[in-house]
Amino acid sequence: MPMALVALAAFAFSLQAQIVDTALFREDDTRFTVLDQAESEPERRALRALLEEPDLRAKDSVAEEFLSAFPASPLLAAVHDIAAKAAIDLGELDRGIAHAEASLRILPENPLLLVALADARAARQQFDQAVATAQDALRQLDRFDKPSNFSAPAWAALEPKLRGSCHLILGRAALTRSFRETGSAQARQVVNAIERLTRSRSLDPDNPQAAYLLGIAHGLALQRAKSQSNLADAYRLGGPLRARAQQELEKSYRARPADTRGSFEDFLDRIPSAQIQAEPAERDEPSGPAPSYAGSDSCRDCHTAIFDSWKQTGMARMFREFEPANILGNFESRSEFRTEDGVTVGRVGTLGDRPYMEFRDDQGQWQRHWVDYTIGSKWQQAYATSLPDGRIQVFPVQYNLLQRRWLNFWRVIDPPGTERSRLGEFHRMGRATNYQLNCASCHTSQLSTSKSRQPTDFVHRESGVNCEMCHGPSADHVAAARAGQPLSPGANGTPLRFASLEAEEHVALCGRCHMQSNLFDLGPRGEVNFTGLPGAFFPPYKGRPINEFSQKAFHRDGRFRETTFIGESFVRSACFRIGGAHCGSCHDPHPANPEANPTSLKFLDEPDRMCLQCHRGYAAKGAGHTKHAPESPGSRCASCHMPRIMHALMFEASTHRIDDIPDADATIRFGQDKSPNACLLCHQDRDPSWAQRHLASWPGGDD
């Protein structure tokens, strides 16, 4: 079965859509489908017909009809995906490549499609693009967990083949390039080809193309025995390259002395199969005693200024036990909350200095719940109550500090009808509003639980995000410092220094809480947001596939709409992928004045400096580059490259895709509300056609 067709079959049932603003565990179920998010019944019927069509040629035709009938559909990435794989498997590679590119412009994180596209580009001899696409596919396979429609065994069987296909493409490209080189340059390409093709064979030993190409590569390296073994494997595996493998083997056969040749069949029988080692299993977990945590207060004596700053940040105040001074919501307002049909089911109030919320039960009686915890402190504050059995439940109504009003925030960000957004359901104290299950992994430090993950099994060392969540377990460091015996660099228990991190590790560390797609797995002792192991103190998270989230998380053009995906938005940027930028390039997690700098910017009063520290050449260009007056908002780097299009806590935050360029064509197709254009955020009296004309005359390059 062709690789693209395998991926196509997989997509047909990949219809789950996960809500956002909640912790995700690998075993969690999702509750919505892409079909439910179609904008109209005709669109829903058309998509269902496309998914259910078994014939490849007919499926290709139905996909084209869908794209023509619904050019602004929220499902364009999915339909282009289907059309691409159908066209590729029909042998119409150029059309398949065009559809794949259209899908990936909206949803770049699609390893199944990336593999199919890389293979199509390689078949069209587009080796530079094929290599880049295959490398991207491998990155996405590393980043994301299996699609939810696959069983664990099915994915375990398919994923090595996908990776093997990527390495095959990389090896094939290197081998092709070797024929264009001479001397040492040719030798390097041959070595690269052998490495990649060997990796491909170890992942997918039954692929005859990898065996054939590896045989050719070993031949160029004058490794005759290995060449013959791989060519013989290609011959025995069969397929389109069997005849070519036979031709190469016959050259070796004829090169033998005539009186020792025997028959060609005897010659083949004497060639052993290639000895290809299987891919190594995952590395064993580090052994040794678990590192000890000292707690944030132990950092105060030596790092006083940083500690005092951290205490004022939103991270330190993510989750706090009730104190009157911590309450920011207006409970004195006696505000009431109603269901969508106007029935009053909730209200706030105070008794003395103690705030509470009340919700009606099934009999219509008011049930009072005290505010025992506060969640958040900068732009919005949520509240939680503690039940007698130890469960902590988050009230469905939050107080927005910018708008000075109460709101059902989950109704704002969820698809219609989620359990947690229905105010009349809160009295049931279900899992959807439970703090331990849904919030604690990012709002408390060193969280652990039992394998059963019952709410009352969760325990944490410290409320909020403490020093050791970012810098690692430090008890040994504290003890040594107090004894006047500082630890040597790199020793177990030495706090992590962010300056020593590569961009990928830096972003992964921050991404534990700033990447919505992360899936939490329990460590050997039930650790949730740390490992408890020597060496690496935070786990290498896999993510839930991006296409499995609710469409409310995205703008129609594919850009992320919700700030819970701010990490995923950043890793799409060229600044990260090519330039090696990371979170610390622009943010200081414990700035000098956190109250005046709630977004923790490194250069609060010089916002362009965050870009110019890398793009130094633009400092002198000024209005020549921005086409705006130097001191105007339009002349700020972020106005065009980081427009405020991400929904935060009832305000718009800057996208962290960074290299975003205003795309008037997408805005014309989808509308400004669904594909916000940076130009029109300021020029609100203009329309997308004006932006299109204006941008078309904009000089490109470094101007």
Side-chain angles (χ1 to χ4, degrees):
M1 190 176 190
M3 190 62 66
L5 191 55
V6 170
L8 174 59
F11 176 82
F13 301 98
S14 183
L15 297 174
Q16 295 179 323
Q18 171 68 51
I19 59 173
V20 302
D21 194 34
T22 186
L24 304 180
F25 289 85
R26 193 177 301 276
E27 302 83 5
D28 290 345
D29 293 326
T30 54
R31 298 179 174 85
F32 305 95
T33 70
V34 173
L35 280 170
D36 292 334
Q37 297 177 75
E39 289 193 322
S40 65
E41 184 56 34
E43 184 177 344
R44 190 173 294 110
R45 287 197 303 269
L47 180 62
R48 184 177 290 110
L50 174 61
L51 295 174
E52 294 175 352
E53 175 55 60
D55 180 75
L56 195 59
R57 176 61 70 181
K59 184 180 286 288
D60 178 66
S61 176
V62 173
E64 294 286 0
E65 291 172 3
F66 184 102
L67 294 168
S68 176
F70 307 102
S73 169
L75 307 172
L76 289 183
V79 177
H80 276 297
D81 180 317
I82 295 172
K85 292 165 184 171
I88 289 170
D89 280 330
L90 288 167
E92 299 173 8
L93 298 184
D94 289 339
R95 197 161 57 84
I97 289 170
H99 277 301
E101 290 173 343
S103 180
L104 291 165
R105 276 195 294 272
I106 300 172
L107 181 72
E109 303 87 353
N110 186 345
L112 290 169
L113 180 56
L114 284 165
V115 172
L117 174 59
D119 192 52
R121 283 175 165 166
R124 294 288 289 126
Q125 305 287 306
Q126 299 170 357
F127 289 117
D128 288 344
Q129 300 98 314
V131 165
T133 305
Q135 290 172 335
D136 194 12
L138 288 170
R139 282 192 294 269
Q140 305 303 346
L141 286 167
D142 287 340
R143 277 186 64 193
F144 293 104
D145 194 44
K146 69 178 184 65
S148 61
N149 54 289
F150 280 95
S151 67
W155 184 247
L158 177 60
E159 187 188 23
K161 294 182 182 297
L162 295 170
R163 291 182 181 275
S165 182
C166 292
H167 287 289
L168 171 60
I169 290 163
L170 296 171
R172 178 183 175 185
L175 184 60
T176 300
R177 288 167 177 162
S178 74
F179 292 112
R180 304 170 186 164
E181 305 285 356
T182 59
S184 61
Q186 182 183 57
R188 285 194 297 272
Q189 292 289 2
V190 171
V191 168
N192 183 20
I194 289 173
E195 179 183 342
R196 290 293 187 176
L197 293 166
T198 300
R199 187 86 184 272
S200 178
R201 289 217 65 193
S202 70
L203 288 158
D204 187 8
D206 295 330
N207 188 322
Q209 186 178 7
Y212 173 78
L213 294 175
L214 185 53
I216 298 298
H218 278 304
L220 292 173
L222 303 180
Q223 298 167 345
R224 188 181 66 177
K226 291 181 178 180
S227 175
Q228 290 180 356
S229 290
N230 281 282
L231 289 169
D233 285 349
Y235 178 84
R236 292 163 186 149
L237 288 167
L241 293 174
R242 188 172 193 264
R244 293 174 66 177
Q246 180 176 342
Q247 290 174 3
E248 295 296 328
L249 289 166
E250 285 176 343
K251 292 177 185 178
S252 298
Y253 169 71
R254 288 193 297 269
R256 297 171 64 87
D259 57 347
T260 63
R261 284 181 193 167
S263 68
F264 180 68
E265 289 72 20
D266 290 339
F267 170 73
L268 279 178
D269 289 343
R270 289 194 295 268
I271 300 176
S273 293
Q275 298 300 306
I276 304 292
Q277 290 186 336
E279 280 286 286
E282 293 184 6
R283 291 180 299 175
D284 294 334
E285 292 177 346
S287 60
S292 299
Y293 286 82
S296 295
D297 285 341
S298 65
C299 304
R300 185 197 306 264
D301 292 342
C302 296
H303 307 283
T304 305
I306 290 177
F307 179 88
D308 290 343
S309 173
W310 164 78
K311 286 289 286 186
Q312 301 305 311
T313 64
M315 290 192 296
R317 298 186 289 186
M318 276 289 179
F319 182 69
R320 294 184 288 180
E321 292 188 7
F322 164 76
E323 291 182 13
N326 294 343
I327 298 294
L328 303 176
N330 185 4
F331 284 85
E332 300 288 348
S333 66
R334 309 289 176 180
S335 296
E336 295 184 341
F337 316 121
R338 296 174 176 81
T339 62
E340 291 180 333
D341 54 3
V343 178
T344 300
V345 293
R347 61 193 183 190
V348 300
T350 59
L351 185 61
D353 65 355
R354 192 68 185 271
Y356 62 80
M357 289 194 189
E358 293 181 327
F359 291 89
R360 293 190 189 274
D361 61 19
D362 286 333
Q363 286 72 46
Q365 301 299 308
W366 290 105
Q367 300 293 327
R368 178 170 295 180
H369 308 283
W370 301 108
V371 170
D372 295 313
Y373 300 96
T374 60
I375 304 171
S377 63
K378 292 195 293 187
W379 293 290
Q380 194 157 294
Q381 191 169 64
Y383 305 93
T385 191
S386 181
L387 303 184
D389 63 2
R391 283 179 293 158
I392 300 173
Q393 300 297 126
V394 181
F395 295 120
V397 178
Q398 304 177 19
Y399 190 76
N400 185 271
L401 297 168
L402 299 177
Q403 299 184 6
R404 297 292 175 186
R405 69 183 180 97
W406 294 97
L407 73 152
N408 181 348
F409 184 64
W410 288 326
R411 184 186 294 171
V412 173
I413 66 172
D414 282 5
T418 61
E419 176 186 349
R420 64 181 185 174
S421 69
R422 296 197 298 268
L423 301 181
E425 298 288 328
F426 179 72
H427 69 278
R428 303 185 191 281
M429 302 298 171
R431 294 172 70 88
T433 58
N434 180 261
Y435 173 84
Q436 290 105 319
L437 291 172
N438 300 296
C439 314
S441 55
C442 288
H443 286 258
T444 53
S445 299
Q446 291 84 54
L447 180 72
S448 58
T449 185
S450 68
K451 293 294 183 183
S452 64
R453 288 197 295 121
Q454 294 303 310
T456 53
D457 295 336
F458 284 79
V459 294
H460 59 265
R461 270 194 69 89
E462 206 169 332
S463 296
V465 180
N466 69 4
C467 305
E468 290 167 305
M469 278 295 288
C470 298
H471 294 281
S474 303
D476 291 347
H477 170 77
V478 171
R482 287 174 176 169
Q485 300 172 350
L487 290 175
S488 60
N492 188 31
T494 302
L496 177 69
R497 294 183 179 275
F498 278 66
S500 66
L501 295 181
E502 297 292 334
E504 195 163 312
E505 189 175 14
H506 194 132
V507 172
L509 198 157
C510 298
R512 287 182 298 166
C513 292
H514 295 285
M515 284 190 172
Q516 171 64 77
S517 59
N518 281 343
L519 289 168
F520 291 95
D521 288 311
L522 301 187
R525 287 176 286 275
E527 302 94 336
V528 176
N529 56 9
F530 70 113
T531 66
L533 299 170
F537 65 88
F538 64 96
Y541 296 113
K542 284 267 193 173
R544 174 154 287 169
I546 296 297
N547 66 339
E548 295 185 8
F549 285 88
S550 161
Q551 285 292 332
K552 292 198 75 170
F554 309 95
H555 291 293
R556 194 60 57 85
D557 55 27
R559 289 177 294 175
F560 291 106
R561 178 178 179 269
E562 296 294 333
T563 51
T564 51
F565 290 94
I566 208 154
E568 289 91 344
S569 179
F570 178 66
V571 299
R572 284 182 175 182
S573 72
C575 294
F576 169 74
R577 292 183 293 104
I578 300 172
H582 50 71
C583 308
S585 300
C586 299
H587 294 280
D588 179 356
H590 22 67
N593 187 357
E595 290 291 343
N597 188 5
T599 52
S600 301
L601 295 177
K602 286 179 69 174
F603 311 114
L604 178 63
D605 298 323
E606 302 175 87
D608 288 348
R609 186 177 170 188
M610 286 175 282
C611 299
L612 296 177
Q613 61 185 325
C614 294
H615 302 280
R616 297 182 181 90
Y618 287 94
K621 294 181 184 294
H625 171 67
T626 68
K627 308 299 186 290
H628 288 77
E631 300 306 317
S632 69
S635 199
R636 301 285 69 77
C637 303
S639 295
C640 291
H641 298 286
M642 297 180 68
R644 294 184 176 276
I645 63 168
M646 296 191 86
H647 183 261
L649 297 170
M650 303 306 292
F651 69 94
E652 298 304 306
S654 295
T655 176
H656 277 52
R657 192 161 175 165
I658 298 180
D659 48 323
D660 183 55
I661 302 296
D663 183 355
D665 292 341
T667 307
I668 288 173
R669 170 178 284 209
F670 300 118
Q672 175 70 0
D673 59 329
K674 296 175 181 176
S675 177
N677 185 284
C679 299
L680 302 181
L681 295 179
C682 292
H683 299 278
Q684 296 182 9
D685 59 329
R686 304 289 188 168
D687 62 19
S689 296
W690 170 85
Q692 185 184 50
R693 293 193 302 273
H694 190 67
L695 290 167
S697 64
W698 202 287
D702 293 333
D703 292 338

